[in-house]
Amino acid sequence: MAAVTTRLDGRSFSNNSLALQEAGSNFAVMLRKKEAWGSRLGVIMAVAGSAVGLGNFLRFPGLAAQYGGGAFMLAYAVSFLIIGLPIGWAEWAMGRHAGTRGYHSAPGLFAVILNKRWAKYTGVIGVIVPVVIYMYYVFIESWCLGYAVKFWTGGVRLTTPEQTRAMFEVMSGQAGDGAALALSWDVALPWLIIVFVFNFFLICRGLSGGIEKMCNFGMPLLMVLALVVLARVLTLGAPDPARPHDNVLNGLGYLWNPDKVQVVSERQLLDTETTPPKPIDMVGDEAIAEAERMVAASNGALKLRTVSPWGQLLNPGLWLAAAGQICFSLAVGFGIIIVYSSYLGREDDVVLSGLTAASANEFCEVALGGLITVPAAVAFLGLASVAGQGTFGLGFTVLPLVFAKMPFGAFFGGAFFFMLFLAAITSSIAMLQPGIAFLEEALDVGRRVSVALLGLLTAFGTGVVVYFTGGQMKALDTLDFWIGTLLIFVLATIQIIVFGWHWGIGRGFAEMHQGAAMRVPAVFRPVMQWISPAFMLLIFVLWILKEILGFDLVTFQAGQVSSYVSDLAGAKSSPPAQLSVAMAALLSVFFILITARSKAFKRAERGLDKTEN
């Protein structure tokens, strides 16, 4: 289903995290669980459900719009090949290996894999990440349900962008801290209660009784709704005859063309101002011809420039965004894949399982999410309203106005946001399972006790997120940055280094191919041993320089320390940010203390099976 990034100001949400693990993992790992799966179709639906989340339909289109489309898609494809598939396969193989020893939580799995006393504490990251991301992911999930019901009941009457922004600010409680806690159907709280209870109802029923049944129902319905909305979007043409350039074809061109054609002013070319106005992107032959006439009539005040994909790919921020999206969307570094794969037997195919999850995710992300959101927004609102938008901006302040202007918009708007809700809930229940498995294993308790304890912990965390929503939703944004981005990068990097260097690539490939019907191409051997770790370390260092230290990676000049740092200490510190980080830190300490006292993890670090003394 993070953290990577699609922040509130357009920089990132889920951060790596909208974010929205997005989060998803492959439930085919449960195939060998004692609870039998109902049918082969149920397994396929569960695989797709765990791989698809809000990141596919909100975060991915938002990042593509923010970074200009085509060049982002190139960086995204490269990141998929050297991060998504390799690290995903590594997690599948290591999780299955440790799971055959009887362990199913991240601390136990890491203790078995590394055979070190400290390894179980590394595994705590694999519990903290999905549990904390769930705390704010479920809040966004509630917006989707609220929007869907409001569209279908005729409660959405929008005519201007200002109205859509006001609707979103009310729903998310940005009027002030505590505003989201009002008992009104226009605000998130009633929808959040419904969604929160529904999540725990499903997870309490177990793997086959709750998760499988939800995926068997939710995934086919999600696909049907997505295809219906997609068909409507692709037949929109140019909705406003007075603006023939604003059409679906140009929306697709903006998303896929690697070159960018822009109208820029002399001020922008000289960059003499601290905040020069944004260039105007032009897509389509007719629009470019019109731009040429406008430039010719400007007496040199305007210029027409073409930015090649290579020029755009020199922007490290684009690579950071693409790598973050891959991690978030495929649940790489979430601690989800490694936990679910632990339920597989030695002869289960982890190569095909990993490829299936990744393929399902990419289809929904690129073929559905990207083709619905950006073209529809360009057709109704124009390229200027779409270019540079982030996740929340595009998903909740642009698209509602698009559907409001569309014929039969109440139906299609409701269908779109209900589709988002279905995608979100199949991901959020996946985020809960690593925490439940941890509590069951560490405390040696049953499922009902672990579900109740996790419910209390996440209810408190979600309450913090929902209360501190004033202005920029500070608690959500802070957790998304530090947990949904930073820790995801850390865990993903650790896992690929462990696979390629602690295990060794020979052992790793032998483990992957145990029971596999297909072989991983040999080219992935150097990729998984050298290229993936080096790429992750480079991205991580660049991310620290840019997002934390404020270093400008384009001009190579030092800037101000990130607001995420100054929020925690100094004259400009933010109590909501401090409280949210303190909450995550206390939760981490609690999990570490439980881990230290667990008899099961002590057996794991000694190389013993879970049932051995």
Side-chain angles (χ1 to χ4, degrees):
M1 52 255 64
V4 235
T5 53
T6 302
R7 213 145 252 109
L8 302 177
D9 56 3
R11 284 175 290 171
S12 58
F13 165 72
S14 145
N15 237 332
N16 270 351
S17 266
L18 166 205
L20 338 124
Q21 78 240 65
E22 161 134 314
S25 159
N26 190 324
F27 288 102
V29 292
M30 302 174 207
L31 186 60
R32 299 295 182 183
K33 188 71 176 167
K34 289 182 179 179
E35 297 176 71
W37 291 89
S39 65
R40 179 62 180 168
L41 178 62
V43 174
I44 295 172
M45 292 301 103
V47 169
S50 60
V52 175
L54 290 176
N56 301 86
F57 297 99
L58 286 183
R59 192 170 185 276
F60 171 76
L63 287 175
Q66 182 181 346
Y67 288 96
F72 175 82
M73 299 299 293
L74 290 173
Y76 175 85
V78 172
S79 298
F80 174 77
L81 292 175
I82 63 178
I83 293 180
L85 277 179
I87 302 181
W89 275 329
E91 288 195 62
W92 278 97
M94 292 190 296
R96 182 187 62 176
H97 166 77
T100 59
R101 309 294 297 276
Y103 300 96
H104 301 293
S105 69
L109 297 171
F110 272 85
V112 171
I113 292 166
L114 289 169
N115 298 128
K116 305 290 184 181
R117 294 190 63 181
W118 50 263
K120 59 188 178 184
Y121 300 113
T122 303
V124 172
I125 301 175
V127 183
I128 287 294
V129 168
V131 169
V132 173
I133 289 177
Y134 173 83
M135 292 175 181
Y136 60 84
Y137 192 91
V138 73
F139 186 36
I140 303 166
E141 192 175 305
S142 70
W143 305 342
C144 299
L145 181 60
Y147 270 60
V149 174
K150 288 173 72 66
F151 265 102
W152 275 339
T153 56
V156 178
R157 298 178 179 86
L158 304 171
T159 57
T160 66
E162 290 74 22
Q163 290 176 330
T164 61
R165 283 192 292 270
M167 178 180 173
F168 176 59
E169 288 172 0
V170 170
M171 177 64 75
S172 57
Q174 293 186 58
D177 291 341
L181 297 176
L183 286 174
S184 167
W185 294 108
D186 294 327
V187 181
L189 182 61
W191 309 109
L192 177 62
I193 294 172
I194 294 170
V195 168
F196 198 94
V197 171
F198 189 43
N199 271 276
F200 275 89
F201 169 76
L202 292 174
I203 204 73
C204 189
R205 290 176 61 86
L207 302 179
S208 62
I211 296 173
E212 179 195 354
K213 288 183 178 179
M214 179 61 207
C215 291
N216 283 344
F217 164 78
M219 284 310 299
L221 182 56
L222 183 155
M223 297 297 290
V224 169
L225 290 175
L227 291 171
V228 168
V229 175
L230 176 62
R232 183 68 191 98
V233 167
L234 294 181
T235 56
L236 285 173
D240 187 351
R243 303 198 323 268
H245 307 321
D246 296 340
N247 56 59
V248 170
L249 188 61
N250 283 345
L252 294 172
Y254 178 74
L255 184 64
W256 289 101
N257 289 344
D259 291 327
K260 291 178 68 175
V261 178
Q262 299 176 326
V263 176
V264 295
S265 67
E266 189 70 22
R267 173 183 165 190
Q268 290 164 337
L269 290 171
L270 295 174
D271 195 23
T272 56
E273 301 288 337
T274 35
T275 54
K278 293 180 179 180
I280 302 172
D281 290 294
M282 310 300 297
V283 179
D285 293 340
E286 294 182 0
I288 292 173
E290 182 178 309
E292 290 174 342
R293 293 191 293 270
M294 182 172 62
V295 168
S298 70
N299 295 322
L302 299 176
K303 303 288 184 183
L304 195 67
R305 72 177 179 187
T306 299
V307 184
S308 71
W310 313 116
Q312 298 174 65
L313 291 172
L314 291 176
N315 176 14
L318 184 147
W319 287 96
L320 292 173
Q325 173 61 18
I326 285 295
C327 289
F328 181 76
S329 185
L330 294 179
V332 169
F334 268 64
I336 294 177
I337 294 175
I338 198 169
V339 167
Y340 280 124
S341 61
S342 70
Y343 293 100
L344 286 174
R346 290 288 299 168
E347 299 306 316
D348 286 309
D349 191 339
V350 296
V351 175
L352 187 59
S353 294
L355 186 61
T356 301
S359 300
N361 174 80
E362 294 311 297
F363 173 76
C364 288
E365 187 152 286
V366 178
L368 295 179
L371 296 185
I372 289 173
T373 305
V374 175
V378 170
F380 275 97
L381 303 178
L383 195 58
S385 298
V386 177
Q389 289 281 356
T391 297
F392 289 158
L394 190 60
F396 291 100
T397 66
V398 172
L399 284 180
L401 184 59
V402 168
F403 289 116
K405 291 175 175 289
M406 183 185 297
F408 303 104
F411 169 76
F412 288 107
F416 177 79
F417 283 103
F418 191 69
M419 174 194 70
L420 292 185
F421 166 71
L422 293 173
I425 202 163
T426 55
S427 294
S428 59
I429 55 178
M431 294 177 196
L432 290 171
Q433 181 60 28
I436 289 172
F438 167 73
L439 294 173
E440 287 178 335
E441 201 160 89
L443 299 176
D444 192 22
V445 296
R447 190 170 190 86
R448 290 184 181 273
V449 174
S450 64
V451 168
L453 181 55
L454 188 64
L456 291 174
L457 292 173
T458 53
F460 176 78
T462 301
V464 171
V465 171
V466 175
Y467 181 80
F468 292 111
T469 54
Q472 291 291 310
M473 292 184 280
K474 183 62 72 175
L476 187 158
D477 194 30
T478 300
L479 292 175
D480 186 42
F481 182 84
W482 293 109
I483 306 298
T485 303
L486 176 63
L487 285 190
I488 286 180
F489 269 117
V490 169
L491 187 58
T493 304
I494 290 172
Q495 288 176 148
I496 194 60
I497 291 175
V498 168
F499 181 87
W501 293 93
H502 176 77
W503 265 16
I505 205 67
R507 178 186 176 185
F509 263 60
E511 180 66 38
M512 269 200 306
H513 289 129
Q514 177 71 35
M518 59 177 289
R519 297 192 66 81
V520 175
V523 69
F524 279 97
R525 293 176 72 94
V527 167
M528 297 181 78
Q529 186 171 19
W530 296 98
I531 299 176
S532 293
F535 187 76
M536 287 298 293
L537 289 171
L538 176 62
I539 290 293
F540 185 66
V541 169
L542 292 176
W543 184 84
I544 293 290
L545 288 173
K546 179 177 184 290
E547 298 291 348
I548 293 182
L549 300 180
F551 188 79
D552 192 321
L553 298 174
V554 177
T555 64
F556 298 102
Q557 294 180 350
Q560 294 183 343
V561 173
S562 168
S563 62
Y564 294 103
V565 176
S566 60
D567 279 344
L568 302 181
K572 297 182 179 180
S573 60
S574 166
Q578 293 172 327
L579 182 60
S580 59
V581 169
M583 177 197 68
L586 288 174
L587 185 64
S588 301
V589 171
F590 176 62
F591 286 167
I592 288 171
L593 292 175
I594 292 176
T595 299
R597 296 180 59 84
S598 169
K599 294 180 180 179
F601 299 155
K602 290 179 180 178
R603 288 192 291 270
E605 68 189 22
R606 289 160 50 202
L608 301 176
D609 288 354
K610 187 176 178 180
T611 55
E612 291 185 73
N613 294 318

